[in-house]
Amino acid sequence: MAVDLLLGLQWGDEGKGKIVDVLTSKYDIIARFQGGPNAGHTLEFDGIKHVLRTIPSGIFHENSMNLIGNGVVIDPVVFIQELEGLKQFNIDFKSKLLLSRKAHVILPTHRLLDAASEASKGKAKIGSTLKGIGPSYMDKTGRNGIRLGDLELNSWKEKYRALANKHEELIAFHSVDIQYNLQEMEDEFFKAVETLKELTFIDSEEYLHQAQKSGKTILAEGAQGSLLDIDFGTYPFVTSSNTTAAGACTGLGVAPGQIGEVYGIFKAYTTRVGSGPFPTELFDEVGAKMAKVGHEFGAVTGRPRRCGWLDLVALKYTCQVNGVTQLMMMKGDVLSGFDELKVCTAYSYKGKEITHLPYNIEPENVTPIYSVFKCWKEDLTKMRETSKFPKELNTYIDFLEKELELPIKVVSVGPDRTQTIHR
Ligand code: GDP
Ligand code: IMO
Ligand code: MG
């Protein structure tokens, strides 16, 4: 059986958690393949809202197995808090949640290093979630990291001490004022590690290989968005993993030829949290309205998300890089009643009109060129059928499908599981 992927096509927070939850009934296994607790995936059903950080968004379904792949970085402290938050649902984590031995561990000093690195950058800061993501992936590629499998060995604390000592030297090297009590952080961390070890660690690539052989259906859940990809995103204002389709291969051990559907998910407009270029960003009352109506505040940090029009130059690029096979449009309901809608179809780049994403999309190089649409007035949140869609919404969708050369198969009209329309 092929492995299907669900990926965010913008700068994250497209609504991946909601859609994975909706799709889970079709899949036996939901597998996260990259990122860590920098992610915040929101699910809403039966009047409950939940934000997941590292745990896959299939966890609430009785029959799904949930797997955290080798490409993920895990902070035991955050992870245990996440489990605590789910206590009320009586989920049997030992049997429903599997963790790859090859996943890397975020140490307390990784978090401190993240803070020191950001503080030392001043105005040029990335706007990181400060969860230790960058430093832990640096230790992974630097071949110094500690993996979940190491926690099963007696010697891991020696390795930990040596690494933490090195990190303390690096923190001091940054010469910034970071106040911390490492002893306290370590007490919390070691306690969390012991609880984490009660869960099921596996050789996940072998598990997935056997699952595929026996005909099990698998959905890989992406975190962040393609424009935050370490290679293809707006570097250096990106995260430290491959958020694009290829990341699912390396983050799970799935061969490229085994990838099936690639579901690409995007908001009907654009948001970004943290620093970095954003050509279609709005600084006026229209952007403020998107933020207000869309409740655009980060699920992890609570920071306001920057808002702007849909950018088809960027979206075409991410559809290509990912090999997207079908699209899902989220949050169309937020735009109801806007005076007009704009969609960026090209950039003016150094005086020339271009339709591809150039190396540098800083505002001094790029000015968006827009097509303008009439907006729908109707409230979409109670609609459940495409036949009820206002004609302006159909025009918008048709235009996007034509430009992107891909079908939009799902239109989401609210945060709840039931507010999902299949086309
Ligand atoms: P993720 O990181 O991609 O899973 O997305 P987040 O959970 O960080 O952010 C998406 C936010 O939009 C969450 O608060 C969702 O509950 C909400 N949401 C998802 N789909 C829709 C939608 O179609 N309409 C509205 N109004 N909200 C939505
Ligand atoms: P989900 O999975 C939106 C952003 C941060 C920052 C940059 C680097 O919920 O869509 P990091 O902590 O990785 O060093 O931050 O990436 N970022 C996200 N933005 N959604 C996310 O995840 C994000 N994860 C990281 O704001 O700009
Ligand atoms: Mg999010």
Side-chain angles (χ1 to χ4, degrees), residues 208-322:
L208 286 177
H209 182 64
Q210 292 304 336
Q212 275 180 278
K213 265 175 106 172
S214 63
K216 293 241 164 42
T217 49
I218 303 167
L219 177 67
E221 173 179 0
Q224 289 79 55
S226 301
L227 296 169
L228 290 169
D229 182 278
I230 183 72
D231 284 281
F232 300 107
T234 46
Y235 191 90
F237 302 102
V238 293
T239 191
S240 297
S241 63
N242 281 115
T243 59
T244 43
C249 296
T250 55
L252 292 174
V254 172
Q258 291 169 336
I259 302 296
E261 290 292 329
V262 181
Y263 305 110
I265 166 167
F266 68 100
K267 279 179 187 163
Y269 50 98
T270 309
T271 64
R272 170 164 209 172
V273 56
S275 327
F278 178 178
T280 60
E281 184 169 10
L282 289 165
F283 300 95
D284 57 8
E285 67 281 4
V286 180
K289 187 172 169 189
M290 279 174 190
K292 186 159 182 265
V293 181
H295 303 292
E296 296 296 356
F297 292 92
V300 172
T301 57
R303 290 178 293 176
R305 295 178 184 143
R306 301 154 62 191
C307 294
W309 296 119
L310 191 61
D311 183 344
L312 282 188
V313 178
L315 207 51
K316 264 184 202 165
Y317 173 77
T318 54
C319 286
Q320 258 161 21
V321 170
N322 287 306

Side-chain angles (χ1 to χ4, degrees), residues 12-17 38-42 51-52 224 298-300 305:
D13 301 329
E14 295 89 351
K16 298 175 291 292
N38 48 349
H41 294 181
T42 314
V51 180
L52 296 171
Q224 289 79 55
V300 172
R305 295 178 184 143

Side-chain angles (χ1 to χ4, degrees), residues 123-161:
K123 273 195 178 148
K125 71 175 183 185
I126 307 296
S128 159
T129 60
L130 304 179
K131 302 297 170 203
I133 305 297
S136 58
Y137 277 115
M138 276 165 71
D139 272 335
K140 173 179 176 172
T141 50
R143 296 160 297 178
N144 296 312
I146 293 176
R147 303 194 286 181
L148 281 198
D150 293 332
L151 304 178
E152 295 174 317
L153 309 172
N154 291 328
S155 58
W156 82 270
K157 281 198 181 164
E158 286 162 36
K159 197 171 168 186
Y160 168 83
R161 192 73 274 145

